[in-house]
Amino acid sequence: MSKESRAARKAANEESRKADAALHANQRREKAAGIREETPEYLRLNAVANEAAAKASWFRR
């Protein structure tokens, strides 16, 4: 594996971790506020997290 591939994988993994953290922080805020349904913000953050996870997945390669 080349250095570029490792760097790209590392960047994709970091992006995925950040997207997951944002999603979970939003979930905690919404739960604390008594919101139980999927809000537009939750759906947006979930889509971003899923997209980032797809880029970082080792199984897709």
Side-chain angles (χ1 to χ4, degrees), residues 5-61:
S5 293
R6 280 188 221 126
R9 181 180 286 173
K10 186 175 181 179
N13 287 337
E14 184 61 28
E15 181 182 340
S16 182
R17 280 191 288 275
K18 287 180 181 180
D20 269 347
L23 174 63
H24 294 293
N26 182 66
Q27 286 177 309
R28 287 189 297 274
R29 280 191 302 275
E30 289 180 354
K31 186 175 181 180
I35 300 169
R36 298 291 184 246
E37 67 275 357
E38 293 179 347
T39 63
E41 181 65 3
Y42 167 82
L43 294 173
R44 184 188 72 78
L45 289 170
N46 191 48
V48 170
N50 287 339
E51 196 173 299
K55 291 178 188 174
S57 177
W58 293 349
F59 300 108
R60 287 180 42 131
R61 297 174 201 252

